[in-house]
Amino acid sequence: MDMSPPIHRWMKDDLDRSVFQKSVTVLAARIPARDTTTLLKSDALRRYIMDVPKIRSVVWDPSGTQGQRLVLLKVPTEAALSPEARILLTEHSAELVDHTIRLNYDYWTADDILQAILPEELLNGSPTGFSVTGHIAHLNLNKEYLPYKKIIGKVILDKNPAIKTVVNKIDNIDNKFRFFKMELLAGEPNFVVEHHESNCRFTFDFSKVYWNSRLHTEHDRLVQLFKPEDVVADVFAGVGPFAIPAARKGCAVLANDLNPDSACFLSTNIVKNNVADLVRASCEDGRDFIRDAIFNVLENPFPPYLGPKPSRLKEKKLRRDRQASERSSQDSVYPLESTLPPRKVVTRFVMNLPDSALDFLDAFRGVMVTRDRIGGELGRLYDAMPMIHCYCFTRELEPVKAEADIRLRVEAKIGHKIEEDVDLHLVRSVAPNKDMYCVSFRLPRPVAFAR
Ligand SMILES: C[S@@+](CC[C@H](N)C(=O)[O-])C[C@H]1O[C@@H](n2cnc3c(N)ncnc32)[C@H](O)[C@@H]1O
């Protein structure tokens, strides 16, 4: 039974959905409706019943005969049925008839339709793979598919109800702020998405800021390492996929991005996710940010961690309860104020700019002595040095060689060996000869206090 769509290889830009029509005639057993279950379950007939996705194998009799149904069969003629099946049908007064199934554009998948449109030499690769960010489907078409990009976009839009916009990446990420240049293939020219990750809501303009849904697992992995009491300095924060989940967990965060659009959406996301008390956004060069972060937190500390953050509703209720109880007793239900000391110490730096983050590491040399007048205080405050989580690429594909390569580059930049709490994590393979890693290490004390 050939259920494939009719071939229309003449289409290129305009998608004519009306030409995708097909009638398929199949053999069917007309049976009394009351016998349907018995026949469907019978060993003799079961293996002959049609089993095609999205097509019902039992339908009302289109001839309108009351109380009759058609069971669609996958054999072409009565002769192909076993004697037992024929006897069973006779016992149930079944009559074999032809039944016509009418298929249209809605029946076929995006792949089916494109296989019927694209030239034969392009049928092997599938252009229907895409990643989804909010309502946007994001394709990365090989150049041989480009003459068909508009029609590919339209088919993907039709076949994915949650998608409202289809774009194609038109360049490698090569601009300073790491976002894709993209062109609209189909749907609304609206690039501001609302995307959900790690139970947080992110709003951003996908055509102006960096976002990569494939980093979801890595964002989660790193945030899981954080303790709620941590103070995190996110040097290349983007629109907040580390910073906001970290703050939801209780961490205090300095989140920075040089792209003004990223910094702007980061600020929006901070408010939308109810973490304005814990995240401070900035828009400066990563090197300046690193050199200022430690003093910023020292001079303007964060409040202490007070336990899991209640939801807005729960917080309102706790405040009400607290006010009520203050009238009767001094005890509070939730410690909205605390006697714990404020958070003055940056415990982690996150540096996700894999192309060049290693080049920023020299900014840590002398980072704790740049403002001499309080340098002494920092020596006492920082009994443990901050952890640095730095992303990078390497062309060494064997783990041992990759580690040696990355270690060498880190140590050359900071001018010191890394020995304490060193960990290397393979994030993903970005190209056949290029892997992305996260190297974590504790900032060596002599580097932070180097003069
Ligand atoms: C690879 S993205 C990572 C964003 C985010 N942390 C994430 O995981 O999705 C790197 C970010 O660094 C920002 N950036 C590029 N150069 C920078 C610089 N010199 N200083 C600060 N931010 C920079 C880009 O705008 C971009 O948002």
Side-chain angles (χ1 to χ4, degrees), residues 176-179 209-212 215 219 234-242 256-259 262 284-287 289 350 352-354 356 360:
K176 178 159 124 189
F177 297 140
R178 318 298 303 156
F179 57 82
V209 305
Y210 176 89
W211 181 270
N212 187 345
L215 288 180
H219 293 144
D234 191 351
V235 186
F236 310 108
V239 297
F242 288 118
N256 174 67
D257 202 286
L258 187 59
N259 178 351
S262 289
E284 54 182 328
D285 181 69
R287 190 173 294 279
F289 172 79
V350 177
N352 182 14
L353 180 61
S356 59
F360 287 75

Side-chain angles (χ1 to χ4, degrees), residues 64-353:
T65 320
Q66 282 290 317
Q68 299 277 40
R69 286 199 189 171
L70 297 187
V71 177
L72 310 191
L73 303 176
K74 57 182 160 193
V75 288
T77 57
E78 184 178 357
L81 294 170
S82 68
E84 296 80 31
R86 272 183 267 162
I87 292 169
L88 184 72
L89 288 172
T90 316
E91 281 170 5
H92 286 269
S93 321
E95 183 191 353
L96 288 174
V97 295
D98 279 345
H99 174 71
T100 301
I101 302 169
R102 290 184 212 290
L103 305 175
N104 63 20
Y105 179 80
D106 295 337
Y107 172 72
W108 290 288
T109 65
D111 250 339
D112 294 337
I113 297 286
L114 289 173
Q115 289 282 316
I117 292 174
L118 293 173
E120 284 183 8
E121 63 274 17
L122 294 185
L123 297 186
N124 276 340
S126 167
T128 50
F130 54 85
S131 55
V132 176
T133 306
H135 65 272
I136 300 182
H138 178 216
L139 283 83
N140 189 2
L141 290 175
N142 287 340
K143 69 173 185 319
E144 58 272 26
Y145 289 100
L146 293 180
Y148 302 90
K149 61 188 178 186
K150 293 279 177 191
I151 210 161
I152 293 172
K154 283 175 195 160
V155 174
I156 288 178
L157 190 69
D158 282 345
K159 296 294 176 182
N160 297 278
I163 299 296
K164 303 283 174 253
T165 304
V166 183
V167 300
N168 187 37
K169 173 177 160 182
I170 50 173
D171 238 331
N172 282 333
I173 306 188
D174 57 2
N175 60 58
K176 178 159 124 189
F177 297 140
R178 318 298 303 156
F179 57 82
F180 296 106
K181 288 190 196 130
M182 56 184 73
E183 80 176 312
L184 180 69
L185 299 186
E188 304 162 8
N190 170 16
F191 304 110
V192 179
V193 299
E194 171 142 330
H195 190 81
H196 293 252
E197 185 179 288
S198 316
N199 289 328
C200 300
R201 276 196 298 159
F202 295 95
T203 302
F204 51 89
D205 186 330
F206 194 38
S207 67
K208 292 185 177 159
V209 305
Y210 176 89
W211 181 270
N212 187 345
S213 297
R214 292 203 198 109
L215 288 180
H216 183 179
T217 318
E218 180 56 17
H219 293 144
D220 279 354
R221 181 191 74 90
L222 204 67
V223 173
Q224 262 169 30
L225 295 180
F226 300 171
K227 294 190 205 70
E229 298 81 9
D230 271 331
V231 176
V232 180
D234 191 351
V235 186
F236 310 108
V239 297
F242 288 118
I244 288 171
R248 294 288 313 166
K249 160 172 197 175
C251 303
V253 188
L254 295 180
N256 174 67
D257 202 286
L258 187 59
N259 178 351
D261 290 307
S262 289
C264 180
F265 284 108
L266 171 64
S267 302
T268 307
N269 293 330
I270 290 169
V271 174
K272 281 195 174 175
N273 288 281
N274 192 22
V275 286
D277 50 340
L278 285 174
V279 190
R280 295 177 196 154
S282 59
C283 180
E284 54 182 328
D285 181 69
R287 190 173 294 279
D288 299 333
F289 172 79
I290 292 171
R291 297 201 71 85
D292 288 344
I294 284 175
F295 292 97
N296 280 344
V297 174
L298 183 68
E299 287 162 2
N300 193 6
F302 283 97
Y305 173 64
L306 299 175
K309 207 172 165 54
S311 67
R312 271 198 184 160
L313 247 162
K314 209 164 162 198
E315 192 165 357
K316 262 190 187 165
K317 184 179 176 312
L318 287 167
R319 273 183 203 282
R320 265 204 317 274
D321 291 354
R322 189 163 169 267
Q323 276 162 6
S325 71
E326 261 171 3
R327 265 177 251 130
S328 54
S329 92
Q330 289 307 304
D331 299 335
S332 77
V333 183
Y334 177 75
L336 289 173
E337 278 103 42
S338 149
T339 51
L340 289 171
R343 291 184 264 187
K344 288 185 175 178
V345 167
V346 178
T347 53
R348 296 174 190 276
F349 283 85
V350 177
M351 302 174 68
N352 182 14
L353 180 61

